Amino acid sequence: MKRNMPEATVALCKCGEAHKIYGVRFEKIRDGQWKYTWAFPMKESSAKREGYDSTTIAGMIEPDEEYPGCPYCGSKYFMICSCGKLNCNLAIGNTFTCNWCGISGGVTSYNGEGFQGGGDR
Ligand SMILES: [Zn+2]
Ligand SMILES: [Zn+2]
C-alpha cells in the first residue's frame, strides 16, 4: 500500500462576521491529527453539490503556518459546534451562536470527537 498524496478533505465553515460560508482544506498529518492549510470562498449551493457536508474529520486540528485565515474576517481559528459544523469569529465573551443550527452556548474547546467535512479525492 503506498500513498503518494496526503489524505485531504474539505470542511465548511461559516463566518460569523460576513455570514457567508467558505471551504477549509484539511490535510492529515497522522492518525487523529490534521492541519488546515487553505480557505476559499464558496457558495452554499456548490458546497452541497460537491458533497462537502458528508464525511467526518476525527482528531485534533491545528493551523498550518501558511494558512491564510478566513477569507472574510481573517480568523485562523474555529468554533466547532455540537452540530459538527465550523464557525469562525463568533465568540463574544464566553458565549457563541452557531451560524448553522442556531444553538448558542458556552465556549468549550474542541475534544477531537470529529466534525463534518467532505471528500477531496
Ligand atoms: Zn470569518
Ligand atoms: Zn451548530
Side-chain angles (χ1 to χ4, degrees):
M1 292 282 176
K2 90 175 173 198
R3 192 187 294 240
N4 297 319
M5 294 287 290
E7 194 176 330
T9 191
V10 171
L12 294 179
C13 183
K14 201 172 261 192
C15 180
E17 187 171 285
H19 301 289
K20 289 179 179 170
I21 66 168
Y22 59 97
V24 183
R25 186 172 182 278
F26 285 83
E27 249 180 54
K28 195 174 195 172
I29 305 170
R30 63 183 85 89
D31 273 348
Q33 206 170 357
W34 298 75
K35 64 179 180 182
Y36 42 100
T37 57
W38 189 245
F40 51 95
M42 184 186 284
K43 287 205 185 94
E44 201 150 352
S45 53
S46 50
K48 285 209 177 79
R49 199 171 56 232
E50 301 281 342
Y52 286 156
D53 47 4
S54 59
T55 61
T56 298
I57 295 170
M60 300 311 292
I61 59 171
E62 60 186 54
D64 187 73
E65 285 171 15
E66 307 276 297
Y67 181 67
C70 169
Y72 310 113
C73 73
S75 171
K76 293 195 175 187
Y77 297 95
F78 310 114
M79 293 298 308
I80 299 166
C81 177
S82 54
C83 71
K85 303 270 198 199
L86 305 178
N87 296 269
C88 74
N89 199 42
L90 284 178
I92 302 160
N94 288 319
T95 59
F96 93 107
T97 303
C98 177
N99 274 293
W100 300 90
C101 68
I103 278 181
S104 62
V107 172
T108 51
S109 49
Y110 177 55
N111 63 6
E113 251 173 24
F115 55 91
Q116 292 178 339
D120 186 26
R121 279 158 285 212

